[in-house]
Structures are given as structure tokens and as C-alpha cells.
């Protein structure tokens, strides 16, 4: 016999908004500069504690240090995720068009070969029909 609905525990799940979808963290240039300065001021053994406290990775800090050394505060403001694109949009478009032209040229070569085969077959048929009437 089934249990009464009142005896069953509440099975409703309430989603936690913090756990729904994690997004990429975005760091402001001022924050990056502050962390780089704090890291430079750290003594031996204190850098790990700084990174743990700020929940950062050592490669982030080394990237920020390099960007700051190369371009100053403007270097810290750029932070596009992922590797830099190797080709510009125009170069990608040119490559796409070149591939398209190559494909069409191959199709044209195949069509021309088919036409030449048809011409040869027609020539052979003409010769055989002319030869049989003679």
C-alpha cells in the first residue's frame, strides 16, 4: 500500500543561483596593477599566500608582470581570452576564397575531362558507323 503524500519528504529542489553557471572572471587594470605591486613587494615565501588569498594562479601573475613590463598600465587593460588570432579577418576571407576557387577549378577540370571523353566516344562511334557502311 502506498504511503500518504503527507508522510513523504518535500522533494522540491531549489537551485542555488551561485551554482547555476560560472562565468569567466574579469580583472580590472587597477586590480592587476595592485596585485603586481604587492607581488613585487613580497618576501621569500609570501607570494604563495598572496596568490591563495586572491584566488589567482601563478601564470596569471607572470602574464600580468610581462604585460606591465612591456606596455605599462595599457598592457594590463587588454585581456582578451584565448590565444591571439594568427590571421586577420581579411586574411581568413582571402584563404576561404582561394579554397573556393581551387574547388571550382577542380570541378571544371573534371567537367572538361568528361567532355573530352564524350568527344572521343562520339568520334569512335562515327568511325565505326562510317567503316561499317563502306
Amino acid at each position: 500500500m502506498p504511503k500518504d503524500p503527507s508522510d513523504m519528504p518535500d522533494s522540491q529542489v531549489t537551485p542555488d543561483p551561485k551554482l547555476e553557471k560560472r562565468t569567466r572572471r574579469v580583472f580590472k587594470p587597477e586590480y592587476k596593477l595592485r596585485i603586481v605591486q604587492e607581488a613585487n613587494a613580497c618576501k621569500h615565501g609570501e607570494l604563495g599566500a598572496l596568490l591563495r588569498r586572491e584566488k589567482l594562479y601563478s601564470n596569471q601573475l607572470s602574464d600580468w608582470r610581462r604585460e606591465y613590463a612591456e606596455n605599462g598600465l595599457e598592457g594590463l587593460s587588454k585581456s582578451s581570452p584565448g590565444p591571439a588570432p594568427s590571421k586577420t579577418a581579411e586574411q581568413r576571407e582571402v584563404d576561404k576564397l582561394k579554397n573556393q576557387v581551387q574547388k571550382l577549378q577542380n570541378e571544371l577540370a573534371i567537367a572538361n575531362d568528361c567532355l573530352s571523353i564524350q568527344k572521343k566516344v562520339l568520334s569512335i562511334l562515327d568511325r565505326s558507323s562510317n567503316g561499317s557502311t563502306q
Side-chain angles (χ1 to χ4, degrees), residues 2-48:
K3 293 183 178 181
D4 292 331
S6 60
D7 294 343
M8 299 176 101
D10 186 22
S11 61
Q12 287 283 342
V13 176
T14 55
D16 188 3
K18 293 185 291 186
L19 302 176
E20 283 300 311
K21 182 172 181 189
R22 298 186 70 180
T23 58
R24 183 179 295 271
R25 297 186 294 174
V26 178
F27 301 104
K28 294 183 179 180
E30 296 79 20
Y31 174 78
K32 292 179 183 181
L33 179 62
R34 183 177 61 84
I35 295 299
V36 167
Q37 290 173 344
E38 284 184 34
N40 290 340
C42 284
K43 295 179 182 172
H44 183 70
E46 295 176 351
L47 186 59

Side-chain angles (χ1 to χ4, degrees), residues 33-83:
L33 179 62
R34 183 177 61 84
I35 295 299
V36 167
Q37 290 173 344
E38 284 184 34
N40 290 340
C42 284
K43 295 179 182 172
H44 183 70
E46 295 176 351
L47 186 59
L50 170 70
L51 293 175
R52 283 189 297 276
R53 182 185 78 218
E54 298 293 331
K55 296 180 181 158
L56 297 172
Y57 294 100
S58 59
N59 64 338
Q60 288 174 311
L61 179 62
S62 60
D63 289 344
W64 294 351
R65 281 178 168 167
R66 180 181 38 80
E67 290 169 358
Y68 183 66
E70 290 174 358
N71 300 321
L73 189 58
E74 289 181 13
L76 293 176
S77 64
K78 68 173 184 86
S79 63
S80 57

